[in-house]
Amino acid sequence: MQNMRKMRSTVVFLIVAVLVMICATTLVGCKKDKQFTVKLDGNPTTGFEWTYTMEPDGIVKEVSNDYTQDAAPPGYTGVGGTYTWVFEGVEPGKATLVFEYARSWEDDPPADTVTYTLTVDDDLRIIDNSLTK
């Protein structure tokens, strides 16, 4: 009888643990917001810059973009920083944003690529469906 209770307790614990993991994964992977922000590290003094393409157009729109240089000691040059874009939903649908970090004058492949897969719902909230960034 004692072993049966222990086994039931173990099974209940495992079920609860699995449910918690499923809920946590769902919440992390399905954040809904009116705006979607992309932040990418970069250093424009190297000649590299982030650019993006959007497919298809018209599902989300860029509402702002900015570059903020990291703090640097006096006299330092060539310090990196963070590029930030903010997007809003325009109409329901799915869109893909592909960011590439490259030098525009070179034919080399990008040094880095980051892809975001977004869904805009009927309330124009953006859901980030990206599995990896």
Side-chain angles (χ1 to χ4, degrees):
M1 194 64 136
Q2 184 80 4
N3 286 340
M4 195 75 147
R5 277 191 217 141
K6 283 183 181 180
M7 193 154 81
R8 264 191 229 147
S9 295
T10 302
V11 168
V12 168
F13 174 78
L14 290 174
I15 290 171
V16 169
V18 168
L19 290 174
V20 167
M21 285 190 303
I22 289 171
C23 289
T25 302
T26 301
L27 291 174
V28 169
C30 294
K31 183 180 180 223
K32 293 181 178 184
D33 225 334
K34 289 284 187 175
Q35 293 188 326
F36 180 75
T37 302
V38 174
K39 291 186 176 213
L40 299 170
D41 293 334
N43 189 338
T45 64
T46 63
F48 283 91
E49 63 182 349
W50 284 103
T51 59
Y52 72 88
T53 56
M54 181 186 324
E55 188 63 40
D57 278 334
I59 304 297
V60 297
K61 71 175 180 178
E62 178 185 310
V63 293
S64 69
N65 69 60
D66 187 37
Y67 174 76
T68 306
Q69 181 177 309
D70 293 340
Y76 272 59
T77 58
V79 176
T82 303
Y83 291 85
T84 304
W85 293 264
V86 178
F87 297 89
E88 285 183 347
V90 176
E91 71 175 59
K94 292 183 186 275
T96 301
L97 297 173
V98 179
F99 288 82
E100 294 184 337
Y101 192 58
R103 291 180 173 136
S104 60
W105 66 88
E106 294 181 343
D107 291 330
D108 296 336
D112 197 3
T113 301
V114 180
T115 302
Y116 295 92
T117 305
L118 308 175
T119 300
V120 177
D121 69 12
D122 291 337
D123 295 321
L124 301 183
R125 292 178 300 192
I126 298 174
I127 305 159
D128 179 8
N129 297 312
S130 308
L131 297 177
T132 59
K133 295 184 179 67

